[in-house]
Amino acid sequence: MKQFLVFYLYLAATLVSTSKVVSTWRNTNEINLKSTFGGRIIGGTQAQAGQFPYVAVVNVTTATSKIFCGGALLGDQWIVTAGQCVDQAISFTIQLGSNSLVEDDPNRQVLSTSTYVLHPGYNPETLDNDIGLIKLRMPIEFTDYIKPVYSVPVSNTPAGWNVLALGWGQINDDDGQLSHDLNWVSLATLTNEECRMTYGNQITDNMLCVDGNYNEGACVGDTGSPLVYLIKFGNALLQGVSSFVSGRGCESTDPSGYTRVFAYADWITNITGVQPR
Ligand SMILES: *[C@@H]1O[C@H](CO)[C@@H](O)[C@H](O)[C@H]1NC(C)=O
Ligand SMILES: *[C@@H]1O[C@H](CO)[C@@H](O)[C@H](O)[C@H]1NC(C)=O
């Protein structure tokens, strides 16, 4: 019986990019928002001001659509996000310093840029190498609310680590709306073998899967948002970039999928000059 379930999961669970539903919103060129009290990613908590000073809103304009993504500030001039978020982009509006998408916030800075680097191996069909870098026009000045991640990891992310997933993505499967406020949830990293029990060979070594106690995880609108491991003094190592969820829905207990940042540490260093730590 158990084997049959696993086999069934393998067939039933397909990767869905965390921005797939957004692409159906592209027709209207508009993403609706939902106000949330104590909202969540899926099963998460609302962030405090300055708690995650590296998290960025990445609003993308392409020739045909507007896309909502998250990202993470690396050094003083780069945002790490998903390949999906920069593929065919024309311009970006980046927000740093605020957890709110809409409320007035004196700590918010809004910047526009059009410079980006998409990973040359990015595959939109398989979501392999789903990573991109956006360059700000000028180095940004750090504040209490705007600070970069500590770095990208110098060694591979192990399984069984507690990591935090951040994002403004949907808080359940039913309403296709972003959360007004940044949410976070604590998750555990899985081995890729464990993740293949759900998704089969779709999982490459460049991916990192995470799971909660129940159905916690990422959802539509979280694409590009960071998965971090907190080290001492509140510093955060960027371990993942939100990439996909299960085709059975975010509220299924299937793992959430991230791009494994460690696999791109050299590539990121070559482009940004920021050394892994
Ligand atoms: C980014 O897009 C969201 C969703 O459309 C919107 O609420 C927000 O105001 C935008 N932020 C910026 C800085 O463009
Ligand atoms: C990074 O740069 C070095 C030196 O130019 C090069 O040998 C290496 O292949 C590059 N690595 C990646 C992943 O781009």
Side-chain angles (χ1 to χ4, degrees):
M1 196 58 179
K2 191 158 185 206
Q3 272 174 359
F4 176 75
L5 274 180
V6 170
F7 180 66
Y8 177 74
L9 281 179
Y10 167 59
L11 285 179
T14 51
L15 305 185
V16 176
S17 103
T18 47
S19 69
K20 268 274 166 58
V21 173
V22 176
S23 64
T24 64
W25 297 341
R26 286 180 186 184
N27 299 333
T28 61
N29 257 5
E30 175 183 311
I31 300 171
N32 293 319
L33 290 169
K34 182 184 192 292
S35 175
T36 53
F37 277 113
R40 34 224 164 127
I41 289 204
I42 298 285
T45 310
Q46 197 170 312
Q48 311 276 307
Q51 191 179 0
F52 305 107
Y54 39 81
V55 72
V57 170
V58 178
N59 281 345
V60 188
T61 303
T62 72
T64 54
S65 56
K66 290 187 184 294
I67 305 171
F68 180 89
C69 284
L73 181 65
L74 179 70
D76 61 6
Q77 208 169 355
W78 291 91
I79 305 288
V80 184
T81 187
Q84 300 170 59
C85 302
V86 302
D87 190 19
Q88 298 179 44
I90 293 172
S91 64
F92 305 94
T93 306
I94 310 283
Q95 167 183 304
L96 288 162
S98 180
N99 291 338
S100 173
L101 293 183
V102 291
E103 305 295 318
D104 286 344
D105 187 337
N107 303 312
R108 170 187 291 125
Q109 290 193 35
V110 176
L111 310 156
S112 34
T113 181
S114 53
T115 309
Y116 67 90
V117 183
L118 172 62
H119 192 279
Y122 169 62
N123 183 330
E125 301 301 320
T126 63
L127 296 178
D128 203 14
N129 306 303
D130 187 11
I131 192 162
L133 298 166
I134 300 170
K135 190 178 191 185
L136 305 178
R137 285 188 185 146
M138 309 263 291
I140 190 158
E141 242 174 75
F142 301 147
T143 70
D144 285 348
Y145 304 92
I146 303 178
K147 284 178 204 153
V149 288
Y150 184 64
S151 194
V152 296
V154 74
S155 53
N156 206 350
T157 314
W161 268 18
N162 279 321
V163 286
L164 303 184
L166 315 178
W168 285 269
Q170 274 176 227
I171 60 163
N172 58 49
D173 283 322
D174 300 330
D175 56 64
Q177 302 184 316
L178 297 170
S179 164
H180 271 180
D181 300 297
L182 177 66
N183 296 303
W184 64 275
V185 68
S186 177
L187 302 169
T189 55
L190 304 179
T191 65
N192 279 19
E193 290 68 37
E194 284 168 316
C195 198
R196 287 187 188 110
M197 293 177 75
T198 303
Y199 297 109
N201 290 334
Q202 300 175 98
I203 302 303
T204 71
D205 292 345
N206 303 316
M207 298 172 180
L208 171 63
C209 296
V210 290
D211 221 346
N213 286 328
Y214 179 52
N215 65 355
E216 298 92 332
C219 199
V220 176
D222 286 322
T223 312
S225 292
L227 183 78
V228 296
Y229 178 69
L230 296 186
I231 50 176
K232 56 187 178 197
F233 310 128
N235 289 318
L237 268 176
L238 182 64
Q239 303 288 353
V241 172
S242 182
S243 177
F244 63 86
V245 293
S246 166
R248 302 194 307 168
C250 319
E251 287 186 88
S252 75
T253 52
D254 294 341
S256 300
Y258 283 75
T259 306
R260 187 180 287 268
V261 171
F262 168 72
Y264 303 97
D266 285 351
W267 180 73
I268 291 170
T269 300
N270 280 2
I271 293 167
T272 65
V274 177
Q275 299 292 330
R277 301 210 257 185

